C-alpha cells in the first residue's frame, strides 16, 4: 500500500483557479447549468447506489460536447475535497462512466488537473476507494499516454502507485485488476506521438508477465481472474504493436510464449495443462504436463456435451450472434464444431461422395483478406474499459457458467491476438525454434498428442477462438519455406535416431491431417474460411518434392466440394488453395495427375450447379484445330478430356450465374444479376494464370480459347477484371516463349504452332489490347498490358501484318513518355525486348528511335524507370554488336555518330547510379566501346567521352559494389579488349585496367567475378596489347597466385565454381605463354621454379578433365587443350633458340614434361 499522507488533505486546484469563460461554467452554483445544481446538495446527502445517479438521471442530462463534459468533471473535482471519501468515490465513478459512455477525448489542461486529482486521491484516500479511483484513472489515460509523461514517475516509477497496486503480493484482486488495466491503457500508442521510454516499457512488460504467470487462488472469483488476464494480455499487445517492441532475448521470448500458450488453453473444456515459466528452442515438444487418464475420460464427455449444446442453440443462434461482445461469445460457445472420431473418419474416408457443407451464411466481410495478415488484431481493438459493473449478463440469460465460459473464451482470444503481435516482433529464424511448442506433431507410440494451436482449432467451442488460432497458425506458416525446406521423408529412414528432416516432415503431415479434420468438422463459415486460408499458406511453403506423394491429393479431393459453397468467402478461399496447389514447385507429377482427373471426380454429389454449366458452353470447351492438323488432335493436346480446374475457372469468369449462391453477394450489386461475385471471378483469373504458368502443356490445348477469355475480361468495365485479364494474357505469351527457347526440352511438334500464335496476337491487337494500353486513368492496367505486349513470340511478330507491327511499336514508343513511372518503366523494358527481334534490329531507324526513347528514360527521376532503361540499353548495345558482326560496315556507317556519342555519355553517367542501374550501364559501356570504329576514336569529340567511360569501368571493377555489378564490369572490359582500334597496351588506362583485373582475379570473394576477370585477361590476341614486360609479368604472377588460391574460400557456396575457375586460369596462362617474348621468360621461369609442382598438377587436371563447359558457355575438348599446349611449347622453343643455355630450354622443357605425363596418364586410362 502507498504511504498515507498527513490528516490535512488538500484538493488540487484547477490551473486557472476557476474554469475558463469559454467552457460554459463558473465556480459559483448560480452560474451552473441545471445538470450541475446537484453539487451543493451532494455534499450533505448520501446516495443509495452509484448507478442511481451516475448511469441514468445524470448521464441522460449531461451536455454531450467533449469540452462541456471535461469542464463538468473538472468542476466536480474542485467541489469534492479529498477528505470526503464517499463523494471522491462517486466523482471517480462519474469520470469513469462519462468518459466511457461518450468516448470523450480530454483536452490537455483538464487532463492534467484530473490526473493530479486522481493521483492525490490514491495517495490520501482510504484503500476502499482505490478501485473506483483507478477506474477513473484508466479512463483518463486511455489514448492519452503521450500527454501523461510528467505523471509517469508517480505511476510507473520504482515506487509508483500502479507498480505497487499491481504487485503479485497485492491481496485485493479487484484493486490489482484495476491497476493493471490503467497500466495497459497507458501503454496504448497514439499515431504521431512519442511512446513510453524503454525503462517504463520494461516495468510494464514485467508486470503484465507476472500477472499472466500467476495462478488463481481459491478466494478469487473466476470471472475477475479472467478479466485480470485480459487486461494483462491487452497491455502486452499494446507494447508489441504500439511500441514496436522487438523481442530479442531468449529468456524474454521464452517467458512470453510460455504464458501465451498457457492462456491460449485457459478454460478450454476437457483440457487442463501446466506450463513451465519459460519455453526454450527445441526440435521436440518439451513440456506437456497433463493426465492421460483424465484426458481420455473428459474427451467423450466433451463430445457428448457439445452435440447437445449445438442442438439446443440452433433456435437461439441468430438472436445472440451479432449482439454485444459477451452475447456474441455466448453464441460462439453454442457452436461446437468437434465431431466424434468415427464421424470424422467417415467424412475423410468418403470425401468424394460428401455433400457440400451448409454452414450459416454471413453477409459481411466478403472482400478477400490474405491469410495471416492483420485481420485478427482488427477484430479486437474494441477490448477496452470493461468492468464487472458493465456486464449485460444475468442468470436468466445463461447463468453464471455460460458467463464464465464466455470470459474464458475472451482470455483465449486475447492470448491468440497477443501471440499474433508477438510473431511480428520475433525474427522468424528465432520463432521457428519454438515450432514444436505450437505446431502439432505425430504422437509417439503410447503417448498422447501434445497440445498445439490445432488443439484449439479442433476442440474450442467458440468459432471466434478457433478462427483466431487458425490466423495465428497462418502467421507462423507465412514465410516458413526456408525452414520447412529441410523436411524429407521420401525414403524410409531405418536409423537408431530420427533426423530433424524427418521430424519436420512428420509435423507437416500432422498439420495436413489436423487441418483436413477441422475442415470436415467446421460449421461456421467464417472459421471455415480461415481453415482454407491456413491450408493455402501451408501448401505454399511445403517442399512436396521431398515428401512422399499423397498429401496434395487428399487436400485437392477434400476442397473440391467447398468450391460450390453458398458463402462467397469460402468459395474464394477454396480457389486460393487450388491456386497454391498448382503454383507450388510447379510442375509436380502429383499435381499433373490431379489436373488430368475426370471433371466429375469429387463433385458428383456435391450439389453444385457449376460442373453442369460447361455443357451449355461448348464454344470454348472444344479446341479449334490449327491449319494442317487433323480435327481430332489439337496442337500439343496431351489429354482427351479438358482439365477440370481450367473448365471451372473459365465457367466462373465468363458464364452468367444460374442461381443466387450467397446472401453475401448483395455486396456486389453490379454483378449479382449477371456474373459471379467479383472476388470469385478475380480469384478464378489468378488461378487460371497460375495454371498456365506452371502447367502450360495442359493449357495449350485451349490456347486460343483462353485468349478469348483474356479478351472478354479486358473488354469489361471493372479495372480489376481488366488487370487480371492482362496478366493472364502475359502468362499465355510467356508460356509460348518458354517453349521456343533454344534450351527448351519441349519437342518442336509439341509446341504451339507459330501460325496459332500469330492468330492469337492478331485477335489481341484487333481487340481490346490497344485500348487497354491507352487507358491512362489506370496506370497499373497499362503496365500489365505493356508486360503482356512484350511477351509476344519474335517469330510470330515477324509474321504479323505490317500495320499491326507498326501499331505495337508506336504504342510502346508513346508510352515511354508517360508521366507515370510504372507505365514508363514497363514501356522501356518492352522496347528492350523488341530491340532483340531479328526483324527489327536491322532497321536503323527503329534502332535509333528506340535508342532515343531509352536514353530519355535513363534520365528519369524514378530509380525503377532508370533500372529498366539501363537493361534495355544493354540489350540495344548487344544489338549493335550483332549487327556489326552480321551486317558489317554498312550498319556502322548508317548509325548516327551523334547518337552513339550520346549513348556513351549517358551510359557513363548511369554507371555512377545505384547498383540496379549500374550493372547494365557498364554492360552497355563495354558494348559501345567495342562497337567504336577508328574514325570514332580519332574524333576529338569522342576522345574525352572514351577516357571517362574507361575510367568508369575500371573504378567499377575495383569498387565494393555488388558482385553482379563487378561481374558485368569485368565482362565489359573483356569486350573493350576485343576492339582492335583502341590503343590497348599503349594508352595509360591499359595499365589501370590490367591492374584492376589482376587484383580481382586474386582476391575477390565471388568466384564468378574471378572467372570473368581471368577470361578478360585472356582476350587480347597480340603480345603488344599487354604492354611492357613488367605489365605482362604482373598479369602472369597474378594468374599463378589465383590458381593456387582457387580452392580458398570462406563461403562454401563458392566452392562449386572452383573447377571452372581453375579451367579459366589455365586457359589464360597457356594463352600468355603462347604470346610471351624472350624478355618475359626470366620471370616466367622464376615462377615455375618456385611453384612448378603446383602449376603442373593443375595443368594436368585441366588437360584430362575432358569436355567441360566454362563460364563463357564455350566447349573446349581434350584435343583443343592439347593443341593449345603444343602451340605454346612450339612458340617458346622458337624464342629459346635465340637465348643462351639454361634459359633457352627450361620453360619449353617444363611444358613438354607436362605433356608427356598427360600422354602417359591417358594411355594408362585407355589400357
Amino acid at each position: 500500500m502507498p504511504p498515507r499522507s498527513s490528516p490535512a488533505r488538500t484538493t488540487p486546484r484547477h490551473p486557472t483557479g476557476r474554469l475558463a469563460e469559454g467552457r460554459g461554467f463558473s465556480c459559483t452554483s448560480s452560474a451552473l447549468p441545471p445538470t450541475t445544481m446537484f453539487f451543493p446538495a451532494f455534499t450533505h446527502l448520501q446516495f443509495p447506489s452509484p448507478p442511481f445517479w451516475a448511469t441514468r438521471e445524470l448521464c441522460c442530462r449531461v451536455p454531450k460536447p467533449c469540452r462541456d463534459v471535461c469542464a463538468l468533471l473538472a468542476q466536480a473535482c474542485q467541489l469534492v475535497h479529498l477528505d470526503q471519501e464517499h463523494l471522491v468515490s462517486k466523482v471517480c465513478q462519474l469520470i469513469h462512466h462519462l468518459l466511457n459512455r461518450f468516448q470523450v477525448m480530454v483536452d490537455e489542461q483538464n487532463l492534467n488537473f484530473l490526473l493530479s486529482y486522481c493521483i492525490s486521491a490514491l495517495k490520501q484516500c482510504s484503500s476502499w476507494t482505490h478501485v473506483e479511483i483507478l477506474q477513473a484513472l484508466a479512463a483518463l489515460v486511455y489514448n492519452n499516454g503521450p500527454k501523461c509523461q510528467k505523471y509517469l514517475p508517480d505511476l510507473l516509477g520504482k515506487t509508483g502507485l500502479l507498480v505497487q497496486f499491481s504487485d503479485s503480493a497485492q491481496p485485493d484482486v479487484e484493486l490489482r485488476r484495476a491497476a493493471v488495466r490503467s497500466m495497459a491503457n497507458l501503454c496504448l500508442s497514439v499515431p504521431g506521438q512519442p511512446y513510453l521510454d524503454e525503462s517504463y516499457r520494461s516495468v510494464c512488460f514485467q508486470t503484465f508477465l507476472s500477472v499472466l504467470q500467476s495462478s488463481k487462488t481459491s478466494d478469487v472469483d473466476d470471472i475477475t481472474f479472467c478479466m485480470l488476464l485480459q487486461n494483462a494480455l491487452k497491455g502486452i499487445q499494446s507494447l508489441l504493436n504500439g511500441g514496436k517492441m522487438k523481442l530479442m532475448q531468449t529468456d524474454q521470448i521464452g517467458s512470453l510464449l510460455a504464458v501465451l500458450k498457457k492462456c491460449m488453453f485457459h478454460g478450454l473444456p476437457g483440457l487442463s495443462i501446466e506450463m513451465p515459466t519459460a519455453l526454450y528452442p527445441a526440435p521436440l515438444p518439451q513440456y506437456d504436463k497433463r493426465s492421460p487418464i483424465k484426458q481420455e475420460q473428459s474427451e467423450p464427455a466433451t463430445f457428448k456435451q457439445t452435440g447437445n449444446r449445438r442442438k439446443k442453440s440452433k433456435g437461439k443462434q441468430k438472436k445472440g450472434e451479432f449482439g454485444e461482445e459477451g452475447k456474441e461469445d455466448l453464441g460462439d460457445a453454442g457452436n461446437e464444431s468437434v465431431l466424434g472420431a468415427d464421424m470424422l473418419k467417415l467424412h475423410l474416408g468418403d470425401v468424394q461422395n460428401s455433400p457440400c457443407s451448409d454452414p450459416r451464411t454471413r453477409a459481411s466481410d466478403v472482400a478477400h483478406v490474405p491469410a495471416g495478415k492483420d485481420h485478427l488484431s482488427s477484430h479486437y481493438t474494441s477490448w477496452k474499459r470493461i468492468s464487472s459493473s458493465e456486464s449485460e449478463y444475468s442468470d436468466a440469460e445463461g447463468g453464471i457458467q455460460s458467463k464464465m465460459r464466455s470470459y474464458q473464451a475472451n482470455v483465449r482470444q486475447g492470448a491468440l491476438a497477443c501471440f499474433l503481435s508477438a510473431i511480428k516482433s520475433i525474427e522468424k529464424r528465432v520463432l521457428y525454434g519454438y515450432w514444436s511448442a505450437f505446431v502439432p506433431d505425430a504422437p509417439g507410440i503410447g503417448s498422447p498428442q501434445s497440445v498445439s494451436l490445432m488443439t484449439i482449432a479442433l476442440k474450442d467451442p467458440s468459432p471466434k477462438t478457433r478462427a483466431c488460432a487458425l490466423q495465428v497458425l497462418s502467421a507462423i506458416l507465412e514465410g516458413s519455406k526456408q525452414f520447412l525446406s529441410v523436411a524429407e521423408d521420401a525414403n524410409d529412414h531405418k536409423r537408431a535416431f530420427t533426423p530433424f528432416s524427418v521430424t519436420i516432415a512428420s509435423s507437416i503431415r500432422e498439420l495436413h491431417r489436423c487441418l483436413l479434420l477441422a475442415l470436415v468438422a467446421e460449421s461456421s463459415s467464417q472459421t471455415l474460411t480461415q481453415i482454407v486460408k491456413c491450408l493455402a499458406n501451408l501448401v505454399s511453403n511445403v517442399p512436396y518434392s521431398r515428401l512422399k506423394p499423397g498429401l496434395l491429393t487428399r487436400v485437392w479431393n477434400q476442397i473440391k466440394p467447398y468450391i460450390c459453397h453458398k458463402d462467397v468467402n469460402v468459395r474464394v478461399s477454396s480457389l486460393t488453395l487450388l491456386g497454391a496447389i498448382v503454383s507450388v514447385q510447379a510442375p509436380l507429377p502429383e499435381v499433373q495427375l490431379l489436373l488430368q482427373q475426370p471433371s466429375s471426380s469429387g463433385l458428383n454429389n456435391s450439389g453444385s450447379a457449376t460442373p453442369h454449366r460447361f455443357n451449355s458452353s461448348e464454344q470454348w470447351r472444344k479446341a479449334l484445330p490449327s491449319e494442317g492438323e487433323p480435327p481430332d488432335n489439337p496442337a500439343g493436346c496431351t489429354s482427351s478430356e479438358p482439365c477440370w480446374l481450367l473448365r471451372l475457372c473459365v465457367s466462373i469468369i465468363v458464364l452468367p450465374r444460374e442461381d443466387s449462391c450467397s446472401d453475401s453477394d448483395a455486396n456486389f450489386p453490379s454483378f449479382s444479376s449477371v456474373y459471379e461475385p467479383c472476388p470469385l471471378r478475380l480469384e478464378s483469373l489468378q488461378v487460371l494464370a497460375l495454371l498456365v504458368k506452371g502447367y502450360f502443356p495442359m493449357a495449350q490445348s485451349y490456347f486460343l480459347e483462353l485468349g478469348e477469355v483474356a479478351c472478354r475480361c479486358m473488354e469489361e468495365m471493372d479495372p480489376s477484371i481488366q488487370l487480371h485479364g492482362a496478366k493472364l494474357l502475359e502468362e499465355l505469351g510467356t508460356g509460348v516463349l518458354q517453349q521456343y527457347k533454344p534450351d527448351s526440352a519441349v519437342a518442336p511438334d509439341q509446341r504451339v504452332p507459330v501460325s496459332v500464335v500469330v492468330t492469337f496476337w492478331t485477335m489481341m491487337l484487333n481487340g481490346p489490347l490497344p485500348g487497354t494500353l491507352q487507358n491512362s486513368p489506370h496506370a497499373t492496367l497499362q503496365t500489365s498490358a505493356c508486360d503482356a505486349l512484350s511477351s509476344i513470340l519474335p517469330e510470330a511478330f515477324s509474321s504479323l501484318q505490317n500495320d499491326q507491327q507498326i501499331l505495337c511499336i508506336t504504342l510502346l514508343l508513346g508510352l515511354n513518355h508517360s508521366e507515370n513511372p510504372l507505365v514508363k518503366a514497363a514501356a522501356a523494358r518492352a522496347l528492350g525486348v523488341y530491340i532483340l527481334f531479328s526483324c527489327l534490329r536491322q532497321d536503323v531507324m527503329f534502332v535509333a528511335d528506340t535508342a532515343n526513347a531509352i536514353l530519355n528514360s535513363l534520365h528519369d527521376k524514378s530509380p525503377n524507370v532508370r533500372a529498366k532503361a539501363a537493361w534495355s540499353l544493354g540489350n540495344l548495345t548487344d544489338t549493335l554488336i550483332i549487327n556489326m558482326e552480321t551486317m558489317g560496315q554498312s550498319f556502322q556507317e548508317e548509325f548516327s555518330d551523334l547518337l552513339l556519342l550520346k549513348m556513351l555519355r549517358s551510359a557513363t553517367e548511369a554507371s555512377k547510379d545505384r547498383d540496379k542501374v549500374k550493372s547494365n550501364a557498364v554492360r552497355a559501356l563495354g558494348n559501345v566501346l567495342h562497337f567504336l570504329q577508328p574514325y570514332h576514336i580519332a574524333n576529338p569529340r569522342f576522345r574525352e567521352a572514351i577516357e571517362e567511360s574507361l575510367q568508369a569501368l575500371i573504378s567499377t571493377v575495383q569498387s565494393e559494389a555488388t558482385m553482379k555489378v563487378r561481374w558485368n564490369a569485368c565482362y565489359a572490359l573483356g569486350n573493350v579488349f576485343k576492339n582492335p582500334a583502341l590503343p590497348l597496351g599503349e594508352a595509360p588506362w591499359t595499365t589501370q585496367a590490367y591492374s584492376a583485373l589482376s587484383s580481382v582475379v586474386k582476391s575477390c570473394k565471388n568466384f564468378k567475378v574471378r572467372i570473368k576477370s581471368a577470361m578478360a585477361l585472356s582476350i587480347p590476341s597480340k603480345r603488344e596489347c599487354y604492354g611492357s614486360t613488367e605489365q605482362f609479368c604482373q598479369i602472369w604472377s597474378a594468374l599463378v597466385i589465383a590458381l593456387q588460391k582457387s580452392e580458398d574460400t570462406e563461403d562454401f557456396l563458392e566452392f562449386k565454381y572452383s573447377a571452372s575457375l581453375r579451367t579459366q586460369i589455365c586457359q589464360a596462362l597457356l594463352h600468355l605463354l603462347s604470346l610471351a617474348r624472350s624478355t618475359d621468360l626470366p620471370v616466367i621461369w622464376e615462377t615455375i621454379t618456385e611453384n612448378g609442382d603446383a602449376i603442373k598438377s593443375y595443368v594436368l587436371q585441366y588437360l584430362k578433365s575432358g569436355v567441360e563447359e566454362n563460364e563463357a558457355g564455350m566447349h573446349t575438348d581434350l584435343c583443343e587443350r592439347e593443341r593449345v599446349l603444343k602451340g605454346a611449347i612450339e612458340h617458346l622453343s622458337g624464342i629459346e633458340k635465340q637465348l643462351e643455355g639454361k634459359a633457352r630450354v627450361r620453360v619449353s622443357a617444363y611444358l613438354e614434361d607436362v605433356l608427356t605425363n598427360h600422354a602417359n596418364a591417358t594411355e594408362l586410362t585407355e589400357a
Side-chain angles (χ1 to χ4, degrees), residues 147-158:
K147 302 176 184 177
C148 304
Q149 296 294 324
K150 64 181 180 181
Y151 301 103
L152 293 181
D154 287 334
L155 298 173
L156 300 178
K158 289 185 178 180

Side-chain angles (χ1 to χ4, degrees), residues 640-652:
S640 58
E641 186 169 350
C643 170
W644 166 80
L645 183 58
L646 186 146
R647 295 177 62 197
L648 170 71
C649 292
V650 171
S651 71
I652 292 174

